[in-house]
């Protein structure tokens, strides 16, 4: 039977550093994907995800099993992501990433088996960019609520805990965020919304 | 007709987190209310569109890079402290002083002359006091070799008792010179 997050953290706290490997294997993707959706750049998101696990390691001695591990982990990830957004790392990374995207877009179009495939790929990318922008333009708390609810599939209580609000406030945040997204993404909803 | 769905009821219904009683009531309302049905379908469609935003898989080198960063985080293992050059030089100077003291304390054989004085009858004649046998050249060389051997062995130089012996040598030197080093 797999060890629980709490058991792994207690082992890490007791000095068994290899327990961190299991936690990284379990949460590498959720943490990196959350950060990618916050900063929109893969290499930076991975660097930040590593920073999150380093912080977990540094704070292992002060870990209190009373707190749910994922709540603690995602709080750290949120802070790391927001700090990166605020200190401008995201903007610099995005400039580099846009250059790379333009280059790879050109390559994609050139290498596609057919014009139709290339067009589909570009269309899909354009849709993803619209979704990204629509979410990015939400107020910070609504944006984080959507990322945790839609993409991390955390339950209301845990998201409310991470965002430090009540469950009813969270549901209200989510509903307003989805209503805004319905309007912004109307062209993608097939005439609905 | 029941009241329209509340905001959180849409969310809970779509997340399949409605409690059974509420679920039945919501479905009964939905069967009759076009507005709530449309709202629900719009939110479902939005959910499908949002699913299109998929992140790239995490790169294969993620764990290796993290391990490298963790190694940088960990402190170096503890062991014998590495002797700094300044400390080694200091200890070498102390050892050289020790050798010098040992050599200085091996004077030529001497006889302490007792001042001639008037003796009372019955008082025995003064005796020439011979000093302690001076160390031979061989003994001095041995001491020097031992001191130098200490310098060649940094582990021994970490030995507190040995360093204390150097302190004793300092004290001797102070006494001989009549002043503090």
């Amino acid at each position: 039977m797999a060890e629980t997050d709490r058991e792994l953290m207690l082992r890490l706290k007791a000095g068994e550093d290899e327990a961190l490997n299991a936690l990284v294997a379990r949460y590498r993707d959720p943490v990196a994907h959350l950060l990618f959706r916050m900063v929109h750049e893969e290499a930076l998101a991975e660097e930040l995800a590593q920073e999150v696990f380093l912080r977990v390691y540094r704070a292992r001695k002060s870990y209190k099993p009373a707190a749910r591990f994922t709540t603690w982990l995602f709080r750290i990830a949120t802070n790391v992501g927001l700090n990166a957004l605020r200190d401008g790392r995201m903007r610099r990374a995005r400039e580099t990433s846009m250059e790379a995207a333009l280059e790879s877009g050109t390559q994609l179009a050139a290498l596609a088996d057919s014009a139709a495939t290339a067009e589909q790929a570009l269309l899909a990318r354009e849709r993803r960019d619209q979704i990204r922008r629509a979410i990015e333009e939400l107020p910070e708390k609504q944006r984080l609520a959507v990322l945790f609810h839609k993409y991390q599939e955390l339950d209301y209580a845990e998201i409310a805990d991470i965002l430090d609000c009540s469950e009813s406030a969270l549901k209200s945040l989510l509903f307003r965020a989805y209503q805004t997204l319905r309007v912004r993404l109307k062209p993608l909803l097939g005439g609905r919304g | 007709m029941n009241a329209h769905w509340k905001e959180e009821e849409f969310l809970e219904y779509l997340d399949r987190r409605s409690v059974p009683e509420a679920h039945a009531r919501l479905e009964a309302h939905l069967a009759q209310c076009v507005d709530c049905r449309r709202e629900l379908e719009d939110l479902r469609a939005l959910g499908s569109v949002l699913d299109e935003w998929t992140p790239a898989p995490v790169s294969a080198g993620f764990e290796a890079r993290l391990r490298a960063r963790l190694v940088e985080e960990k402190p170096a293992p503890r062991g014998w402290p590495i002797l700094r050059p300044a400390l080694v030089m200091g200890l070498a100077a102390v050892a050289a002083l020790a050798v010098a003291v040992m050599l200085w304390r091996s004077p030529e054989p001497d006889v302490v002359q007792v001042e001639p004085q008037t003796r009372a009858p019955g008082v025995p004649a003064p005796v020439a006091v011979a000093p302690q046998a001076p160390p031979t050249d061989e003994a001095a060389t041995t001491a020097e070799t031992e001191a130098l051997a200490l310098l060649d062995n940094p582990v021994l130089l970490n030995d507190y008792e040995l360093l204390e012996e150097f302190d004793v040598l300092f004290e001797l030197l102070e006494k001989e010179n009549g002043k503090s080093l």
Side-chain angles (χ1 to χ4, degrees), chain A:
Chain A
M1 190 175 157
E3 284 179 284
T4 62
D5 298 340
R6 180 192 153 137
E7 286 165 344
L8 288 167
M9 266 315 291
L10 289 174
R11 276 179 52 204
L12 184 64
K13 186 177 183 176
E16 294 181 47
D17 286 359
E18 63 275 9
L20 185 68
N21 296 339
L23 288 167
V24 171
R26 202 171 283 177
Y27 292 107
R28 180 194 70 171
D29 287 4
V31 169
H33 291 169
L34 170 72
L35 287 161
F36 169 75
R37 289 188 173 106
M38 286 178 80
V39 301
H40 312 134
E41 207 281 316
E42 288 161 21
L44 177 59
E46 287 194 13
E47 185 193 317
L48 296 174
Q50 288 179 0
E51 178 63 31
V52 170
F53 288 111
L54 284 173
R55 287 193 187 193
V56 167
Y57 180 75
R58 286 180 204 137
R60 65 196 182 284
K61 300 283 183 195
S62 58
Y63 171 73
K64 290 184 176 62
R68 202 163 159 177
F69 174 74
T70 46
T71 304
W72 186 56
L73 179 73
F74 284 122
R75 257 197 202 142
I76 295 173
T78 304
N79 288 337
V80 167
L82 289 176
N83 286 342
L85 291 173
R86 285 164 191 158
D87 74 11
R89 268 186 282 174
M90 184 202 71
R91 191 170 53 250
R92 289 193 296 277
R94 190 181 294 171
E95 283 164 7
T96 315
S97 146
M98 279 174 71
E99 287 166 17
L102 280 170
E103 193 179 324
S104 69
T106 312
Q107 288 168 353
L108 184 68
L111 295 172
D113 290 334
S114 67
T117 310
E119 195 180 330
Q120 282 169 5
L122 289 170
L123 193 65
R125 174 180 294 164
E126 176 54 32
R127 286 173 68 91
R128 281 199 300 274
D129 282 348
Q130 280 188 56
I131 298 164
R132 177 184 60 73
R133 280 195 300 273
I135 293 175
E136 189 183 357
E137 286 165 9
L138 290 172
E140 185 177 288
K141 214 159 185 175
Q142 286 186 30
R143 185 170 74 243
L144 289 169
V146 169
L147 295 185
F148 284 121
H149 176 253
K150 175 62 192 166
Y151 296 109
Q152 300 294 329
E153 298 182 345
L154 300 183
D155 61 42
Y156 301 129
E158 186 160 21
I159 303 171
D161 214 358
I162 295 168
L163 298 181
D164 199 20
C165 63
S166 67
E167 275 190 51
S168 61
L170 170 73
K171 287 172 188 169
S172 180
L173 268 178
L174 281 170
F175 194 80
R176 275 183 280 140
Y178 289 133
Q179 294 294 60
T180 305
L181 290 174
R182 260 173 66 183
V183 175
R184 287 187 186 155
L185 296 173
K186 196 172 179 180
L188 306 186
L189 292 171
R192 305 184 59 91

Side-chain angles (χ1 to χ4, degrees), chain B residues 74-136:
Chain B
K74 292 179 187 175
R78 288 187 180 183
W80 282 101
I82 296 167
L83 288 175
R84 285 173 294 181
L87 178 60
V88 172
M89 293 297 286
L91 289 171
V94 169
L97 272 173
V99 172
V101 167
M102 280 185 277
L103 292 172
W104 184 74
R105 283 175 58 81
S106 54
E108 290 298 314
D110 199 7
V111 173
V112 177
Q113 297 294 326
V114 177
E115 291 287 322
Q117 55 183 304
T118 310
R119 289 194 308 269
V123 174
V127 179
V129 179
Q132 287 181 336
T136 61

